[in-house]
Amino acid sequence: MKASLVPTLRLRPHGARLLYGLIALLLLYLALRQISLADLWFSLRRLTLPQLSALALLNLGVLLAMAGRWQLLLYAQGHKLPLRTLLGYRLAVFGVTYFTPGPQLGGEPLQVYLLTRRHQTPITVALVALTLDKLLEMLTNFAFLVGGAWLMVRRQLLAPFYSGQLLLAAGVLLALPVTLFITYTLGYAPLTVLAHWLAHRSKRFSRAGANRMMPLVEVVQQSEAAVSWLCTRRPGFVVLALLITLLGWALMITEFGYSAWVLGLRLAPIQVIAVMLAARVAFLLPMPAGIGALELSLILVAGTLGVAPAQGIALGLYIRARDTLLSVTGLCFGGAGIYSKTTTE
């Protein structure tokens, strides 16, 4: 009986990948069957070199905002690293995250690893910077989802049922970073409590397993204490990091609206938010790189706004090409960083 279960358990990851692949192909088929290739080519050929250059500069601004926020959070702890180096690391993290199934997570271990290996940054410092970096990212991401869904409800751009469901889901997601920020400013350490509870539970099954967890519990405890100290004793750095995040979001919205405009989508500001909201939701689905989900969601929202499906796909292809180029560049940079020697920069 036990022997028959082992092969089944080993096949589960492969089965999950196969399922993701089949769903992605189905979504791509549903998306592409609704468009005209002639209309698609007409939309894509509108891009000119000056327009592509402007889009590249806007994307660079977004990346610099992300790297600058990370640099500030490290500097607040007494560790100054070059912005250009952190920009390369952020690209590497994005590359891993982009091809990882799930809601835009996956590259965080690499974010810590590159700091500790190449710059001898203490693990606690790296984890504190990562924690606040992700909290600010989640806070603004989910706040955008809540605000966008609320606007959809107010303007009745989507069916009330779907708008309400999206607003509820986004509100639940937003509650997580908000709750963590509140607990840290009050001096609590919820993740430390969770880590101690898990260690206690593992002790019931294996004392050796519990002993192996204790170093991890200590790291979590030290990191959360440092996060709480940073939020309460040096709040100016956290507020400035939030302002940098908002600047990055302003650049993202500008880049998205401009890319839609150059591809022939004449959208009002509220419609730009609606299309961008659909793209963000697609990347939250458990599909690597949002394959299929992005294209289908853009077609659906384009149809709701009275835009030709081919223009929605053209925008999706631009997003796909941009993100793939950044991801591949980041993976190459990350690979070079992993195998290069330690630096003291």
Side-chain angles (χ1 to χ4, degrees), residues 71-85:
Q71 183 189 44
L72 179 66
L73 294 173
L74 289 168
Y75 179 75
Q77 302 176 78
H79 292 261
K80 186 176 181 180
L81 294 177
L83 183 61
R84 64 181 184 279
T85 301

Side-chain angles (χ1 to χ4, degrees), residues 26-41:
L26 176 61
L27 293 175
L28 278 174
Y29 168 74
L30 292 174
L32 295 176
R33 69 191 292 265
Q34 304 181 56
I35 69 167
S36 164
L37 293 180
D39 292 341
L40 176 61
W41 171 243

Side-chain angles (χ1 to χ4, degrees), residues 278-289:
R280 305 298 295 187
V281 170
F283 282 116
L284 290 176
L285 298 177
M287 307 295 297

Side-chain angles (χ1 to χ4, degrees), residues 23 80 97 116 206 234 277:
I23 294 175
K80 186 176 181 180
T97 300
T116 55
S206 169
R234 310 193 80 176
L277 182 66

Side-chain angles (χ1 to χ4, degrees), residues 101-150:
Q104 299 187 14
L105 297 171
E108 290 72 23
L110 179 62
Q111 192 169 347
V112 174
Y113 177 81
L114 289 171
L115 288 181
T116 55
R117 175 184 171 84
R118 298 210 66 221
H119 304 277
Q120 299 178 324
T121 305
I123 182 69
T124 302
V125 172
L127 286 175
V128 169
L130 171 65
T131 300
L132 287 174
D133 187 61
K134 294 306 297 183
L135 277 177
L136 289 169
E137 189 175 292
M138 292 168 59
L139 181 66
T140 50
N141 275 343
F142 299 148
F144 175 80
L145 292 180
V146 169
W150 180 76

